[in-house]
Amino acid sequence: MSTETRHLHISGLQVEVVRKDIKNLHLGVYPPAGRVRVAAPLAVSDDAVRLAVIGRLGWIRRQQAKFQAQPRQSAREMLQGESHYYLGQRYRLVLAETGGRQTVSLQGGARLVLHVHRGVDAAARWRVLERWYRVQLHEVLAPIVERWAAAIGVTVPQWRIRWMKTKWGSCNPRAPRLWFNVALVKVPPECIEYVVVRTSSLD
């Protein structure tokens, strides 16, 4: 599918405009920072996009305010009893010493056990958890991406996982390749599926 992406400044907002071979214009506001994105038919002009955004400016501001009001998880120190999230559920961190492979396990439905070597610092503990997060998210995403690619009749796209500051997912149409935020592993599965569906090349 041919796409064209650019950014417009409209009434104080930076709006990502993606033009593609679709029939209708779609406007969305996305967490975590309230990013505004418009998917528009190829023939729709910038002026038409501006009018659409201005016409829904009140709604956009309300959505952004909701995202800003949501509590943010504080910086993690990787200490015993700390809260961490996985697939929408909160877990208490348990530190367990191991002389073998450093890894993570879930126990009792409420404990996230970090098996690490004696004396490792917070940064090393975080790397173990992050590695586990990446593996888990890959396993969750793979069948979702494949299922939706089949549903819309396209070849399963290449996709990767990385940390992103303001987006849950993005698309590089030139590659083409999808990128998903590692932080997705912390939200419920239905939210992950929504992000896959809404990521540029799959919506």
Side-chain angles (χ1 to χ4, degrees), residues 7-197:
H7 290 84
L8 297 176
H9 291 277
I10 305 171
S11 297
L13 299 173
Q14 178 169 288
V15 179
E16 180 185 4
V17 181
V18 180
R19 287 188 172 84
K20 54 177 69 176
D21 187 18
I22 56 178
K23 293 182 179 180
N24 300 308
L25 183 147
H26 303 279
L27 188 154
V29 181
Y30 300 93
R35 177 174 62 99
V36 181
R37 179 181 180 274
V38 173
L42 295 170
V44 169
S45 68
D46 286 353
D47 286 342
V49 171
R50 287 190 177 92
L51 287 173
V53 171
I54 292 171
R56 302 201 67 189
L57 197 57
W59 176 81
I60 292 171
R61 297 295 191 193
R62 289 193 296 273
Q63 298 306 307
Q64 290 181 326
K66 289 179 182 178
F67 292 137
Q68 292 299 319
Q70 290 177 353
R72 299 289 186 262
Q73 189 174 13
S74 59
R76 303 293 83 188
E77 298 182 18
M78 304 303 297
L79 299 176
Q80 188 90 3
E82 198 173 65
S83 294
H84 289 267
Y85 289 82
Y86 173 63
L87 297 183
Q89 182 174 338
R90 186 175 71 172
Y91 290 84
R92 290 294 183 183
L93 181 65
V94 176
L95 300 178
E97 185 180 323
T98 179
R101 181 171 176 268
Q102 299 187 119
T103 187
V104 175
S105 63
L106 302 178
Q107 296 181 5
R111 299 195 305 164
L112 187 151
V113 183
L114 189 64
H115 306 268
V116 293
H117 298 158
R118 175 183 291 184
V120 298
D121 61 13
R125 294 171 186 169
W126 168 247
R127 286 194 293 270
V128 175
L129 179 58
E130 181 189 28
R131 184 172 64 244
W132 183 79
Y133 270 156
R134 287 177 178 272
V135 171
Q136 300 307 308
L137 182 58
H138 192 280
E139 292 181 357
V140 171
L141 280 171
I144 296 176
V145 173
E146 185 173 352
R147 182 167 68 251
W148 279 100
I152 63 175
V154 300
T155 302
V156 177
Q158 294 184 6
W159 56 277
R160 300 286 186 274
I161 296 170
R162 67 181 180 188
W163 286 104
M164 292 185 275
K165 291 183 178 180
T166 60
K167 298 180 179 180
W168 289 115
S170 66
C171 175
N172 178 352
R174 295 180 181 177
R177 182 178 295 119
L178 305 180
W179 289 100
F180 296 105
N181 193 334
V182 181
L184 273 174
V185 77
K186 300 179 182 182
V187 306
E190 58 268 24
C191 296
I192 298 175
E193 184 146 5
Y194 174 82
V195 171
V196 172
V197 175

